[in-house]
Amino acid sequence: MGSAEYDYPSTNMENGPRVAVPPPRSFFQSLKISLKETFFPDDPLRQFKNQPASRRFLLGMQYFLPFLEWAPRYNLCFLKADLIAGFTIASLAIPQGISYAKLANLPPILGLYSSFVPPLVYAMMGSSRDLAIGTVAVGSLLIASMLGREVNAMENPRLYLHLAFTATFFTGVLEAALGFLRLGFIVDFLSHATIVGFMGGAATVVCLQQLKGILGLDHFTHATDLISVLRSIFSQTHQWRWESAVLGCCFLFFLLLTRYLGKRSPKFFWISAMAPLMSVIFGSVLVYLSHAERHGVQVIGHLKKGLNPPSVDHLTLGSPYLMTAIKTGFVTGVIALAEGIAAGRSFAMLKNYHIDGNKEMIAFGMMNILGSCTSCYLTTGPFSRSAVNYNAGCKTAASNIVMAVTVMITLLFLTPLFHYTPLVVLSSIIISAMLGLIDYEAAIQLWKIDKFDFAVCISAYIGVVFGNIEIGLVIALVLANPGGELMKKLERSKFLEMLGQEWIYMTVGEAVGACNFMLHSCKPKTRINNESGTRSDNNV
């Protein structure tokens, strides 16, 4: 017995069979279907149908607190894996948190506060198993840039700090509102080309800003554009400190070397993950023993012991700078959402599970709202820290709880040990992290696939580097066209031409109907037996 061979109809539009045109719909029917597909593509209320009240209550709690789903199945094997992952990302979160807080012109202790409360909130409300919550360099730079134009962090640190808390509060409000209203698709307007260009430009600006710490400069421009930064650097050549520059270059070389080794051999990822903390420890010991702070090497200084103090009364909702805080919160919120959701989806694909973008927005929003009330500033799920969490073998979001507990112990007992940490080490940590965000390979790929997307990418990069972050973001959003990205790429790759236009359908139902039509209308193909010259069917 053999399998029958069939002559399938040609996929040419002129000769091939056509699918029946669906009956026309009224305007309101079309509007209703479009709104349902946009806001409720996963039909979240389906699971509540025909369920008793107690079951509905449990399902509702699990929707908003996803940890109730995995907590009953938690076991010792998961705990072991999450402990290792949690301690690993804590070793990265502590030095990075301090570094990014300095980048935002905020007290360094806020970086540790922001690695304590928000991860606990996300562990209960987030749906990703791999995201590691914490502060991010780009968001920190945005806060410093946008708030710094209105209030000088050096001249009025109290007001600047309160505005940072207020901006974080409005970031949370925006993110939670987008999640509750199921408006997650708005983030898709930040296309891949936009993100590559914007992140690359922001990373370049951050690296240039860190030359202040590497060269040991006391005064530096608050502008972020390339020309202003270079002018500020080269107008102070007489104040460059060679001790700070040598120390910074040595630590930067060490961090880049460990990162290279971690990429070459994934089993050694922990070396690059531990490198920032090792740099902080070694730098602190070196400064303490050599009294380098007396020779121009700047140090962090005193860090207050204790857990997060409440900051609800610091929210300046009646301040004349309220609109600045709202604008800063909204811009940083969109960027934080784009990075966090993109990272979560990437690792979910690698482990073959699904995350709900709207749930993630609610989780991000609530952790920033609660964070703003507990002396934290902007947090999200940074890709670099989440990659370390993934490689460390995390099983659930409990790795964030382990990290938060480790940071809590640091806040209670270990903060005096950071007194002699040199600022140049923090600058080296930031530069080494930012170099990974300059994705020139993705830009080259965009050039090969779509010249317009490449132009969007380069426009965003140039706007950020030579203008400011807001200009780069506006340019990218104006030029981007995410709605036509997929079909444009398919047309460029000749995919539609090879497949046949008649095989592209708007709904699953139409596609299934077309397949059934093709299968039932095909004719068996017969063979000529060359040896006997007789006709024989192959399906007998």
Side-chain angles (χ1 to χ4, degrees), residues 20-26 29-30 33 510:
V21 177
R25 300 189 182 113
S26 67
Q29 286 178 325
S30 299
I33 293 172
E510 291 178 6

Side-chain angles (χ1 to χ4, degrees), residues 54-352:
S54 58
R55 178 63 179 167
R56 290 182 182 180
F57 175 77
L58 178 60
L59 291 173
M61 292 294 293
Q62 288 179 347
Y63 183 85
F64 292 106
L65 298 172
F67 87 98
L68 294 175
E69 294 183 27
W70 54 262
R73 303 191 300 270
Y74 204 74
N75 56 42
L76 192 60
C77 180
F78 285 2
L79 177 62
K80 180 181 176 182
D82 287 337
L83 281 173
I84 295 173
F87 287 135
T88 305
I89 57 177
S91 68
L92 182 62
I94 291 170
Q96 279 192 351
I98 296 173
S99 304
Y100 294 161
K102 289 291 293 181
L103 179 61
N105 294 327
L106 294 168
I109 194 67
L110 260 68
L112 298 182
Y113 291 160
S114 301
S115 297
F116 174 47
V117 173
L120 292 176
V121 177
Y122 183 83
M124 293 185 292
M125 301 190 68
S127 58
S128 172
R129 307 171 196 167
D130 302 282
L131 275 189
I133 299 303
T135 55
V136 286
V138 175
S140 301
L141 178 65
L142 274 168
I143 290 174
S145 172
M146 299 181 71
L147 294 183
R149 289 200 201 97
E150 302 294 333
V151 179
N152 191 306
M154 300 299 175
E155 297 174 359
N156 200 342
R158 184 179 179 85
L159 176 59
Y160 183 87
L161 176 63
H162 293 177
L163 287 177
F165 291 149
T166 309
T168 302
F169 174 79
F170 282 107
T171 293
V173 169
L174 172 69
E175 292 172 337
L178 291 177
F180 281 117
L181 298 175
R182 304 186 67 81
L183 296 173
F185 62 88
I186 291 178
V187 179
D188 293 335
F189 280 91
L190 289 173
S191 63
H192 176 64
T194 303
I195 293 174
V196 169
F198 179 81
M199 288 296 187
T204 302
V205 169
V206 171
C207 290
L208 291 172
Q209 289 280 333
Q210 297 317 299
L211 293 177
K212 173 189 176 183
I214 295 291
L215 299 174
L217 300 176
D218 293 319
H219 304 287
F220 206 70
T221 179
H222 294 290
T224 58
D225 62 283
L226 178 65
I227 305 301
S228 299
V229 172
L230 293 179
R231 185 187 297 118
S232 181
I233 291 171
F234 289 103
S235 64
Q236 304 182 69
T237 52
H238 59 286
Q239 295 185 9
W240 292 5
R241 295 188 172 97
W242 68 268
E243 302 95 337
S244 181
V246 170
L247 196 62
C249 291
C250 290
F251 279 111
L252 182 59
F253 175 77
F254 168 70
L255 291 166
L256 293 178
L257 178 63
T258 56
R259 185 173 157 211
Y260 172 76
L261 294 176
K263 282 189 174 181
R264 284 290 302 271
S265 182
K267 64 181 179 181
F268 294 130
F269 77 93
W270 58 271
I271 297 178
S272 60
M274 296 290 291
L277 185 60
M278 292 166 59
S279 299
V280 168
I281 295 172
F282 183 71
S284 302
V285 172
L286 184 63
V287 169
Y288 178 77
L289 296 177
S290 63
H291 302 287
E293 75 277 10
R294 301 176 186 173
H295 303 282
V297 177
Q298 301 171 342
V299 297
I300 289 178
H302 175 69
L303 287 181
K304 185 173 64 174
K305 290 174 66 175
L307 299 181
N308 305 31
S311 57
V312 180
D313 55 336
H314 296 336
L315 299 179
T316 55
L317 301 180
S319 168
Y321 299 102
L322 179 61
M323 290 309 300
T324 300
I326 292 175
K327 184 175 76 169
T328 303
F330 282 9
V331 172
T332 54
V334 171
I335 298 300
L337 276 180
E339 181 173 2
I341 292 179
R345 286 174 176 171
S346 299
F347 293 111
M349 270 200 306
L350 292 175
K351 286 189 176 180
N352 195 27

Side-chain angles (χ1 to χ4, degrees), residues 6 8-9 514-523:
Y6 293 104
Y8 289 95
C515 289
N516 287 334
F517 177 82
M518 298 290 278
L519 289 173
H520 290 91
S521 61
C522 59
K523 298 178 180 179

